Amino acid sequence: MKIVTFVALALLVHGPLSPFLPTAFEATLLYYARLYPAWLLALVGTLSASVAESVNYRLVDWATGFPNLARLAHRPGVRWSVAAFQRAPFWTTAIVIFSPIPDSAVRVLAPLARYPLPKFLGAVALGRFPRLLLIAGVGGLVPVPTWGWLGGGVALVGLAAGRHHVASAFRWLRARYRDLYAVSVAGFRL
């Protein structure tokens, strides 16, 4: 039953919501590494992520059919990015998926470049499997208590969801510090 939950989480986190959950799967994978072998998690995670990537590919391809979004594809920056992607689309996808670079760019560029879906999914699997195997292997070797994962996950979600509020709070604190500092420096000038 727990592996089914892992599959559902992999589908959710790698699906269309993935830009809003950038590190959620790694924390989940590290938690599940205590329960299952690394190779099994990497295999199941890769298959689940590939299914989610096929949905993402189809959604982006469908969305580019709208006139307002189709106009964006003709901008110089987008055309340049698509041309750069087309030089080595398979290896670009595999390397970006393997690396910690956010993979949203290749999710959008592959459909825009009309890169075939089976080749795209092959590159995703080639990049995703070793990454997940590495993360799950580390998770199996380094025991982290559950409260550490939960606390870190809550902190990351809070930071992602409230970063605008956090930035506002820092601006407010900086302004108060400047006001306080200006008053104290002025008090020492005689």
Side-chain angles (χ1 to χ4, degrees), residues 75-147:
R75 289 189 169 185
V78 175
R79 284 196 321 246
W80 180 87
S81 298
V82 169
F85 177 78
Q86 286 176 330
R87 288 186 203 134
F90 185 88
W91 291 111
T92 301
T93 302
I95 290 169
V96 167
I97 294 290
F98 176 76
S99 72
I101 300 170
D103 50 7
S104 299
V106 293
R107 286 185 179 139
V108 173
L109 289 173
L112 285 178
R114 301 285 180 226
Y115 189 59
L117 181 60
K119 290 182 180 180
F120 175 69
L121 293 178
V124 165
L126 182 67
R128 183 89 58 207
F129 182 78
R131 175 188 171 106
L132 297 182
L133 187 62
L134 180 69
I135 294 170
V138 169
L141 293 175
V142 180
V144 176
T146 304
W147 64 265

Side-chain angles (χ1 to χ4, degrees), residues 23-32 135 149 153 156:
T23 59
F25 190 67
E26 286 78 3
T28 303
L29 183 62
L30 288 170
Y31 172 77
Y32 276 89
I135 294 170
W149 294 121
L156 286 174

Side-chain angles (χ1 to χ4, degrees), residues 4-110:
V4 173
T5 307
F6 179 74
V7 169
L9 287 169
L11 289 170
L12 173 73
V13 170
H14 287 103
L17 296 176
S18 62
F20 304 108
L21 305 166
T23 59
F25 190 67
E26 286 78 3
T28 303
L29 183 62
L30 288 170
Y31 172 77
Y32 276 89
R34 298 184 301 180
L35 308 172
Y36 296 102
W39 67 268
L40 178 63
L41 292 174
L43 182 65
V44 170
T46 299
L47 292 174
S48 302
S50 296
V51 169
E53 292 296 345
S54 67
V55 170
N56 292 337
Y57 185 98
R58 301 262 186 224
L59 282 174
V60 170
D61 193 35
W62 171 75
T64 57
F66 291 112
N68 290 340
L69 293 176
R71 273 187 250 133
L72 291 175
H74 299 295
R75 289 189 169 185
V78 175
R79 284 196 321 246
W80 180 87
S81 298
V82 169
F85 177 78
Q86 286 176 330
R87 288 186 203 134
F90 185 88
W91 291 111
T92 301
T93 302
I95 290 169
V96 167
I97 294 290
F98 176 76
S99 72
I101 300 170
D103 50 7
S104 299
V106 293
R107 286 185 179 139
V108 173
L109 289 173

